[in-house]
Amino acid sequence: GLYAKGKELMGRGNIQPARMLFRRAAEAGHAESAFALAGTYDPHELAKIKVIGLQPDVAMARRWYTKARELGAEGAAERLTRLGN
């Protein structure tokens, strides 16, 4: 439920509320939520959705992609590599 609602909010451009829902689900062990949360901080992903007025945070993206990888989310390792060191 939290993940689905977060995706819905993302689709409307409501990034901050979506982050809260993704975070709660990710902290409960939901891999896709951790992956989605990381994307809300990833400069590459924010550019794709043309977010204005929200600064990327590579350290936070890295943190949540790492959690997503630990939880088994596909694509997390690739995105970590893309972010680099």
Side-chain angles (χ1 to χ4, degrees):
L2 294 173
Y3 174 72
K5 183 65 176 171
K7 292 294 278 185
E8 180 184 323
L9 290 168
M10 283 292 294
R12 294 183 190 161
N14 296 331
I15 307 300
Q16 295 295 355
R19 279 181 176 169
M20 290 189 306
L21 295 175
F22 290 148
R23 174 179 236 134
R24 285 179 47 204
E27 288 172 347
H30 192 260
E32 291 82 8
S33 292
F35 188 75
L37 179 58
T40 70
Y41 293 104
D42 184 333
H44 299 96
E45 297 305 306
L46 290 175
K48 285 181 188 177
I49 59 174
K50 298 176 175 66
V51 171
I52 298 171
L54 189 67
Q55 294 299 312
D57 185 334
V58 173
M60 287 297 283
R62 190 175 291 115
R63 172 185 172 190
W64 287 106
Y65 282 138
T66 299
K67 178 72 170 175
R69 182 183 62 195
E70 291 167 1
L71 293 171
E74 288 189 33
E78 179 182 316
R79 294 231 182 132
L80 278 167
T81 300
R82 183 182 69 190
L83 285 175
N85 295 324

